Amino acid sequence: MTPVSGSEHQQTPVSGSEHQQTPASGSAQVPGRTGVTAATGFAAAGVTAGLKPSGNPDLAVVANLGPEQHAAAVFTTNRVEAAPVTWSRGVVADGVVSAVVLNSGGANACTGPRGLTDATTMAASTADALGVEAGDVVVCSTGLIGTYLPMERVTAGIAACVPALSTDGGAAAARAIMTTDTRPKEASRVVEGPSGSWTVGGMAKGAGMLAPGLATMLVVLTTDARATPDVLRGALAEACRLTFDRADSDGCMSTNDTVLLMASGASGVEVDAAELVPGLTAVCAELAAGLIDDAEGAAHTIAVTVRSAASEDEAVEVARAVARSNLFKCAVFGRDPNWGRVLAAVGTTTAAFEPSALDVAFNGVQVCRSGAIGEDRSLVDLSGRDVVVEINLHAGPAQATVWTNDLTHDYVTENSEYST
Amino acid sequence: MTPVSGSEHQQTPVSGSEHQQTPASGSAQVPGRTGVTAATGFAAAGVTAGLKPSGNPDLAVVANLGPEQHAAAVFTTNRVEAAPVTWSRGVVADGVVSAVVLNSGGANACTGPRGLTDATTMAASTADALGVEAGDVVVCSTGLIGTYLPMERVTAGIAACVPALSTDGGAAAARAIMTTDTRPKEASRVVEGPSGSWTVGGMAKGAGMLAPGLATMLVVLTTDARATPDVLRGALAEACRLTFDRADSDGCMSTNDTVLLMASGASGVEVDAAELVPGLTAVCAELAAGLIDDAEGAAHTIAVTVRSAASEDEAVEVARAVARSNLFKCAVFGRDPNWGRVLAAVGTTTAAFEPSALDVAFNGVQVCRSGAIGEDRSLVDLSGRDVVVEINLHAGPAQATVWTNDLTHDYVTENSEYST
C-alpha cells in the first residue's frame, strides 16, 4: 500500500481514468536518464563537498538548459523559515529559474543574517559557474538546524559540481540530497498528449510533507513541456495538494521544505494546467509514496482513508487527526487494530458525523460498526508493512486518504540521537 | 520542576500571592483523612471487583454525606464520548450529586446502547445501596476502549464497596482508580478564610489533560465549604483552565475524561468563587503535577514557558505547539537541547512574533538568541528529570506554561502493548 498503488489506487485523483492518460515511464525514455534528467533540457550532478561526516555525496545542482526557464515553487508555511527558503521565494517570484543548488549536511536554518548571506553566496557561486544570474538560482538546504554551513567547502563543492553537470546526472543528484533517507527517490512519466509527447520527472528527499513535514522534504520536478509560470503554479499547487500535503509522517513542519518545478519547453509541446496535472500528480504521488515508505524509523506505511464525509476538507481533517494520534500510531507498531483510538481521534474533529454511526475497518476487517464493537479484532493481520484504515463517517459523498507511519522505537532512537 | 513548584512557581496563577492565602495542608487535617476524604462530609472506599487481570483494586465510591450535595463537573470535549460521560452530564446538570462510582479495568467507551445501559446500571446499583436517587450518581470509567464491562462483577463490587465507605477511605479510593499509574495521586489544602476554615481535597488518575488527554484522566474533588452550584462551576472552570488544561502529555484526547467537584457544606463556611479558586487551583495543580510526573513511559517532566506574548491565549498556543512536537520530545529524551526543533514548532503558530526576535533557553542556558545561535548548547544539562524550556516572543506582556513529557522508548512500548 502506497499512495499510488494497490486498492487505494482507485480512490485518489492521481489514479483511475486520469492515470490512464499518463502512460508509465520507460517507453519513450532514454536509458540512464532518470528523475530530474528524464525530461530533455535539464542537466544535473551530485558531488561530495564534505558537508556530511559520513563522506557521502552532499551537494547537487540541477540546471535548466532551456529554451525556456519557467518555474513555480511551493515552500514550507512554517513562519520560522530557513535562509535558503527566504532567498528562493524571491527567486521564483518572477517565474524564471535557471538552476537550483541543493545541499545536505546542514539546513542553514535559524542562522540569522549570516545564514542569508550564505544562501546568497551559494546562489551567486552557482550562477557564476553557469553564466546565469544569481537572482535566477534557487537554493535548498537540508540537515541540522542552527548551525552555519562551512562555506569554503560549499563553494568548492559548487565549483566541482557545475562542470560535472550531465543530462544523465539525475541519479547522482538524487543521491546527494539524501539525509536520513535509506535510498534515493526518483520518478518520471512520459505523457502522450494531443499535441505530442512530453516528459515530467523529479527527485525527492526526506520523509515528510509540505505542511507540516518531518525531516525536511526537498523535491525538484522538471518537465520539457512548454508552460507559462502561471500554468506551472496552478498545476503544482494541485499536484501537491493531492500528494505531498496528504503524506504526514509525524505531524512536524520543517523550516526548509521546498517543492520546485522547472519547465524547459524542450519538447516543443505546449500544455495547459489540465494537461499538466495528471502526469505531474503521478510523479509527485510516486515520490510521496517513496518518502512515506522510507520514513525515519517507521515499521508500517499506513493509509487512513475517510469515506462518506460531508466534504473533502472534512475527510482530510478526520484522516489527518487519526494520522497524528501518537496512541494510534503506537498501536499500529504493536500490530494492534485499536479502533477505539481511531474513534478517539475522530472525535476531536469538527467534521460532520454521528458518533453512533461511525464504522472503522483495519485491513478490510470491520472491527467497529455503528460506533461500537464490530468484527473480532483477532481477524486483523497487521504483520505486513502496509496498513489500510478505513473510516466511514456516513455523512456525505466525499473521501480522502492521508498517508502516515507508525510510531516506533526506531523513530524515537533516530530523533533522540540525530544531533548528538 | 512541577506545575506548582520551583522557579515556575512564581509564574502561575496558582502561586505567588494567591498561594499565600492558601496554607499548605496538614495543620488542621485529621490524620489518615486524605484526598477526597480530607474535607468533612465525605466518605469513600475502594475494593477489588475483579475487573483488572492484575487483581488490584478497581472500583471506588465517593459519597457526599451533606448537609449540602452541590456539584459541578468538566468533561472531555471529545465528540466520541464514553457512555459514563453521557450519563454523568445529565446527572450534574441540576448541580446536585450524591455520590460518584468509578471503575478502572474498562472504559465502557464505544460500547453503543449496551454501554449506556451498563453505565445506568452502575448508577442505579450505587444509588440503591446508598439510598439515594440514581439520577444523582455520577459514573466514571477508565481502561480499554471498545469492550463491555463484566456487569456481574461490577454490581457485586458496588455491593461490597458501599458498606465499606469510610471518612478516611480517600487513599483506598485513589488506589482503586489507577490504570497505568505507578502511584495514587491525592492532594488537599486547608483554607483559613475570613469567615472560617474549610478544606478542599481530591484524587486523580491517568496522565493527561481534559482536552486533550493521554490516558483517561479522572479527578474527583471535594470541599466542605458551602457553595452554590454556580459558584462551583465557575471556580472549577477557572482551576481547570490553569492546571489540567495546561498539562499535555501526548496531545491525545480521551473519551472518558471527567473532573467532578462536590461540596458538602459541612464546614458551614460559605464561599464565593473568588475565595474558592486559589485553594481549588492549588489542589488541581498538585494533582496535575502528579499526573505529568507519572505519565506513561516518560523520562522527563518538561515545563514549556512562553514569555512576552501578546496575549495569554497566544502564549498557551505557542507552548502547546512545542509541547506537541514529537521531534522536540524525542530530543529531550536524548538530552539534546535542540532549540531548532523548538523554533520549528513555534513557527507553526499564529501568535504574534518576529522570527528574528525569538529567544530560547533550556534549563537557563540561552541556546538561541534573536532567532539564531546563542550560548553553547554543551552548557545545557538535561540529565535530570525536570526540564524548563523558556521561549521569549518579545511581542507583549503575557505568559503561560504548558507541562508535558518527553517521547521515549517506554512510551512506545506501553502504548503498543497496552491492549495486546
Side-chain angles (χ1 to χ4, degrees), chain A residues 78-79 336 341 344 351 415 419, chain B residues 78-79 336 341 344 351 415 419:
Chain A
N78 198 310
R79 292 168 60 200
D336 169 16
R341 293 180 181 176
N415 289 298
S419 77
Chain B
N78 198 311
R79 292 167 60 199
D336 170 15
R341 294 179 181 176
N415 289 297
S419 77

Side-chain angles (χ1 to χ4, degrees), chain A residues 98-417:
Chain A
S98 298
V100 53
V101 55
L102 313 96
N103 76 275
S104 51
N108 192 11
C110 305
T111 45
R114 178 170 155 187
L116 197 54
T117 300
D118 290 347
T120 309
T121 300
M122 286 179 68
S125 299
T126 307
D128 284 350
L130 286 169
V132 301
E133 296 294 319
D136 292 335
V137 176
V138 165
V139 179
C140 298
S141 298
T142 178
L144 280 182
I145 299 177
T147 59
Y148 298 116
L149 291 175
M151 285 306 294
E152 283 193 18
R153 293 185 183 192
V154 170
T155 51
I158 292 169
C161 194
V162 169
L165 286 171
S166 156
T167 53
D168 58 6
R175 198 166 296 114
I177 61 173
M178 291 165 58
T179 53
T180 58
D181 309 68
T182 65
R183 52 185 180 268
K185 286 97 184 172
E186 293 186 285
S188 62
R189 294 288 187 283
V190 179
V191 181
E192 308 287 348
S195 328
S197 156
W198 52 277
T199 298
V200 57
M203 66 179 183
K205 68 75 48 183
M209 63 177 305
L210 278 180
L214 162 65
T216 288
M217 184 183 70
L218 299 183
V219 179
V220 178
L221 302 160
T222 57
T223 181
D224 49 19
R226 293 186 59 202
T228 65
D230 278 348
V231 164
L232 296 177
R233 275 181 211 113
L236 183 62
E238 177 68 1
C240 286
R241 185 179 74 81
L242 297 170
T243 58
F244 298 119
D245 276 346
R246 296 191 183 173
D248 188 338
S249 181
D250 75 348
C252 294
M253 189 195 294
S254 165
T255 52
N256 291 58
D257 292 330
T258 301
V259 180
L260 173 66
L261 170 61
M262 298 188 284
S264 69
S267 71
V269 179
E270 177 131 22
V271 296
D272 61 17
E275 291 171 278
L276 189 51
V277 163
L280 183 65
T281 303
V283 168
C284 290
E286 184 174 332
L287 292 172
L291 295 177
I292 288 290
D293 279 341
D294 193 27
E296 290 179 346
H300 289 89
T301 296
I302 308 169
V304 181
T305 296
V306 174
R307 302 188 195 285
S308 303
S311 69
E312 187 176 323
D313 283 352
E314 292 193 356
V316 171
E317 180 197 3
V318 170
R320 201 181 292 288
V322 174
R324 289 190 184 169
S325 163
N326 279 351
L327 291 177
F328 163 73
K329 291 152 77 87
C330 283
V332 172
F333 171 59
R335 301 182 180 182
D336 169 16
N338 197 317
W339 58 269
R341 293 180 181 176
V342 174
L343 259 56
V346 174
T348 66
T349 70
T350 61
F353 67 83
E354 283 300 321
S356 62
L358 295 171
D359 296 330
V360 179
F362 275 74
N363 283 355
V365 180
Q366 199 177 324
V367 285
C368 170
R369 186 174 289 127
S370 302
I373 302 159
E375 290 185 71
D376 186 345
R377 57 201 290 157
S378 70
L379 299 173
V380 180
D381 178 7
L382 300 182
S383 61
R385 169 86 192 186
D386 296 320
V387 175
V388 180
V389 178
E390 292 167 283
I391 301 156
N392 195 315
L393 300 182
H394 295 288
Q399 67 175 41
T401 298
V402 167
W403 288 270
T404 190
N405 296 111
D406 52 351
L407 181 51
T408 70
H409 288 292
D410 286 350
Y411 177 86
V412 173
T413 298
E414 285 207 35
N415 289 298
S416 61
E417 297 175 357

Side-chain angles (χ1 to χ4, degrees), chain B residues 150-376:
Chain B
M151 286 305 295
E152 283 193 21
R153 293 184 183 192
V154 170
T155 51
I158 292 169
C161 194
V162 169
L165 286 171
S166 155
T167 54
D168 58 5
R175 199 166 296 113
I177 62 173
M178 292 167 57
T179 53
T180 59
D181 309 68
T182 66
R183 51 184 180 269
K185 286 97 184 172
E186 294 186 284
S188 61
R189 293 289 186 282
V190 178
V191 180
E192 307 288 347
S195 327
S197 158
W198 51 277
T199 297
V200 57
M203 65 179 183
K205 67 75 49 183
M209 63 178 302
L210 279 180
L214 162 65
T216 289
M217 185 182 71
L218 299 183
V219 179
V220 177
L221 302 160
T222 56
T223 181
D224 50 19
R226 293 185 60 201
T228 66
D230 278 348
V231 164
L232 297 177
R233 275 181 212 114
L236 183 61
E238 177 68 1
C240 286
R241 185 179 75 80
L242 297 170
T243 58
F244 298 119
D245 277 346
R246 295 190 183 173
D248 189 339
S249 182
D250 76 348
C252 294
M253 187 195 295
S254 164
T255 51
N256 291 58
D257 291 331
T258 302
V259 180
L260 172 67
L261 169 61
M262 298 188 285
S264 69
S267 72
V269 180
E270 178 132 22
V271 297
D272 61 17
E275 292 170 277
L276 188 51
V277 163
L280 183 65
T281 303
V283 168
C284 290
E286 185 175 332
L287 293 172
L291 296 178
I292 288 289
D293 279 341
D294 192 27
E296 290 179 347
H300 289 88
T301 297
I302 308 169
V304 181
T305 296
V306 174
R307 300 188 196 285
S308 302
S311 69
E312 187 177 324
D313 281 352
E314 292 193 357
V316 171
E317 180 196 3
V318 170
R320 202 180 292 286
V322 174
R324 290 189 183 170
S325 162
N326 279 352
L327 291 176
F328 163 73
K329 289 153 79 85
C330 282
V332 172
F333 171 58
R335 301 181 180 184
D336 170 15
N338 197 318
W339 57 269
R341 294 179 181 176
V342 174
L343 259 58
V346 174
T348 65
T349 69
T350 61
F353 67 83
E354 284 300 319
S356 62
L358 296 170
D359 297 330
V360 179
F362 275 76
N363 282 355
V365 180
Q366 200 178 326
V367 286
C368 170
R369 188 174 288 126
S370 303
I373 302 160
E375 290 185 72
D376 186 345

